[in-house]
Amino acid sequence: ALAAGQAKPTASGAGAVIQTTYGDIHVRLFAEECPKTIENFVTHARNGYYDGVIFHRVIKGFMLQTGDPLGDGTGGTSIWGRDFEDEFHRSLRHDRPFTLSMANAGPNTNGSQFFITTVPTPWLDSKHTVFGRVTKGMDVCLAIEKAKTNRNDKPLEDIKIAGISIE
């Protein structure tokens, strides 16, 4: 039986488990609303693109950012080798904590970086593509959020993604 709020898994990858050095973060993915974003994320995950990548930006009371193989926020590319467009959906908002969203450098500049919010962040609506929500492992997100960081919000000790499995 599925717990309340859990998506029924489908072949398209309705969920993922982000295995981190702090524990597992289970996420529900919105493949129907954000097909390109999910194709990019799922393909990168299955190909091991995110394996060993650090959480390079952690801001208490805001979010945890990762997905950059360079580890400094300047890198990462999509599976198509170029930026891809935003996929905003009126039902998918930054209206609660534990929202999975694409990082970008402005409109239609999605690559590989993503973040998980730890609070509602409505000012990000229609600026960042919401493509998932954490269903289990909120405690892991909060533990990562508490990590000591330097003045650039980079954790002093590397917090890594060991791998991402698609369910």
Side-chain angles (χ1 to χ4, degrees):
L2 292 171
Q6 271 191 314
K8 197 173 182 181
T10 65
S12 65
V17 181
I18 304 168
Q19 295 124 6
T20 77
T21 45
Y22 276 46
D24 291 353
I25 301 168
H26 297 250
V27 295
R28 173 182 172 203
L29 301 174
F30 300 119
E32 206 171 295
E33 297 88 344
C34 317
K36 282 197 86 154
T37 305
I38 298 303
E39 182 185 358
N40 183 64
F41 179 79
V42 166
T43 302
H44 270 334
R46 286 188 171 136
N47 292 341
Y49 186 87
Y50 294 122
D51 299 4
V53 172
I54 64 167
F55 284 84
H56 65 272
R57 191 165 169 240
V58 173
I59 302 175
K60 283 176 189 61
F62 182 28
M63 60 95 215
L64 330 166
Q65 189 170 333
T66 185
D68 174 11
L70 298 180
D72 62 8
T74 65
T77 185
S78 76
I79 59 171
W80 301 285
R82 57 173 171 70
D83 291 348
F84 67 96
E85 63 272 18
D86 298 317
E87 292 180 301
F88 303 136
H89 198 275
R90 65 185 172 279
S91 69
L92 300 177
R93 319 296 290 166
H94 297 84
D95 58 355
R96 64 195 88 169
F98 310 114
T99 295
L100 185 63
S101 189
M102 288 299 289
N104 62 40
N108 304 307
T109 58
N110 298 290
S112 64
Q113 293 187 44
F114 61 93
F115 61 92
I116 299 169
T117 64
T118 57
V119 296
T121 54
W123 64 90
L124 300 179
D125 288 345
S126 302
K127 291 191 178 81
H128 295 269
T129 299
V130 171
F131 68 99
R133 298 222 191 265
V134 176
T135 57
K136 189 176 159 200
M138 288 86 160
D139 57 326
V140 176
C141 296
L142 295 174
I144 293 171
E145 183 189 33
K146 287 186 182 114
K148 289 204 184 329
T149 57
N150 67 18
R151 58 189 171 87
N152 297 318
D153 305 310
K154 184 175 181 177
L156 300 179
E157 288 183 35
D158 285 353
I159 302 165
K160 291 184 179 175
I161 294 174
I164 300 177
S165 60
I166 303 301
E167 299 180 323

